Amino acid sequence: MTTTAFAFVVAAYLIGSLSFAVIVSKAMGMADPRSYGSGNPGATNVLRSGKKLAAALTLLGDGVKGWVAVALTAWFGPQYGLGEQAIAMSALAVLIGHMWPVFFGFKGGKGVATAVGVLLGFSPWLALAALATWLFVAFVLKISSLSAIVACVLTPVYAYFIVGPQSVYFGSCVIIAILVVHRHKSNLIKLLTGQEDKIGDKGTDKSSS
């Protein structure tokens, strides 16, 4: 990795480390999302506060930062001789930053919104396919974590056909799916035992989404 590529990757990680759940909650005078519900700094948990605007802003912020990290490398990288590999590395870096943010004690969210933003940077069609899957499962079953898991598992399949198996973006999608599903491992246990909260529930279980 060149010094320039490393700089883009570090910048992407720092962008990812901006936890909008915490930032938005503080700006709106709300409790830290890590102190209630599941304790997860993400839009689903912020929604448990009853503040729909805060949840929407969190979702938007986390999604936009994923897209920004990819877009910046795609826009400015070529003038430094950087191509798709650097873009893919920045994509993974921003997601890792969201999950393990340096600004918030390495305790971050589960990466769903940021992953969608990254996919948008790869291909609008890829992001649309993943988002449509999440929305469909969420509408039918009303379970955020299951929606995220299903969407992530299917994303590499969509990527296979949209960007092609030879694309470095396909490999990134596989890693993204693994990371997001890994972050939902506690939710998988809850799902298997029928104890997972549904969207909008004000549960207090720390393993919920």
Side-chain angles (χ1 to χ4, degrees), residues 23-34:
I23 294 171
V24 169
S25 294
K26 185 173 182 178
M28 297 182 68
M30 298 164 53
D32 190 315
R34 296 169 294 182

Side-chain angles (χ1 to χ4, degrees), residues 12 17 24 30 32-33 35 56 63 67 76 96 100 132-133 142 147 151 154 156 165 170 185 197 199 207:
S17 291
V24 169
M30 298 164 53
D32 190 315
S35 67
W67 175 80
F76 300 107
I96 290 171
W100 295 281
T133 301
K142 302 294 192 297
S147 304
L154 291 178
F170 172 74
K185 60 182 179 181
D197 290 335
I199 295 173
S207 67

Side-chain angles (χ1 to χ4, degrees), residues 116 119-120 123-135 158 162:
V116 173
L119 296 179
L120 181 61
S123 164
W125 290 111
L126 185 55
L128 181 61
L131 182 58
T133 301
W134 190 97
L135 289 172
Y158 299 146
I162 294 173

Side-chain angles (χ1 to χ4, degrees), residues 4-201:
T4 304
F6 180 73
F8 274 100
V9 170
V10 170
Y13 172 77
L14 295 177
I15 291 172
S17 291
L18 297 172
S19 178
F20 280 91
V22 179
I23 294 171
V24 169
S25 294
K26 185 173 182 178
M28 297 182 68
M30 298 164 53
D32 190 315
R34 296 169 294 182
S35 67
Y36 61 82
S38 68
N40 178 60
T44 300
N45 196 43
V46 172
L47 185 60
R48 290 189 173 98
S49 70
K51 303 290 186 180
K52 294 182 179 179
L53 177 59
L57 291 174
T58 297
L59 187 67
L60 179 63
D62 285 343
V64 168
K65 73 182 181 184
W67 175 80
V68 166
V70 172
L72 287 177
T73 307
W75 290 342
F76 300 107
Q79 61 185 290
Y80 298 102
L82 303 180
E84 291 186 348
Q85 185 174 7
I87 297 171
M89 292 175 67
S90 293
L92 295 177
V94 70
L95 184 62
I96 290 171
H98 175 79
M99 294 177 171
W100 295 281
V102 67
F103 302 132
F104 298 96
F106 300 101
K107 296 179 180 179
K110 299 184 178 180
V112 178
T114 302
V116 173
V118 165
L119 296 179
L120 181 61
F122 287 168
S123 164
W125 290 111
L126 185 55
L128 181 61
L131 182 58
T133 301
W134 190 97
L135 289 172
F136 176 76
V137 178
F139 178 79
V140 174
L141 300 177
K142 302 294 192 297
I143 302 177
S144 176
S145 60
L146 181 58
S147 304
I149 291 169
V150 172
C152 284
V153 169
L154 291 178
T155 291
V157 178
Y158 299 146
Y160 183 93
F161 293 102
I162 294 173
V163 299
Q166 303 304 319
S167 171
V168 67
Y169 296 156
F170 172 74
S172 295
C173 287
V174 173
I175 297 174
I176 288 170
I178 292 172
L179 286 173
V180 176
V181 172
H182 170 72
R183 292 289 286 177
H184 283 80
K185 60 182 179 181
S186 59
N187 301 94
L188 283 169
I189 295 174
K190 300 291 286 185
L191 286 166
L192 291 173
T193 56
Q195 301 177 54
E196 181 68 311
D197 290 335
K198 292 192 174 183
I199 295 173
D201 286 351

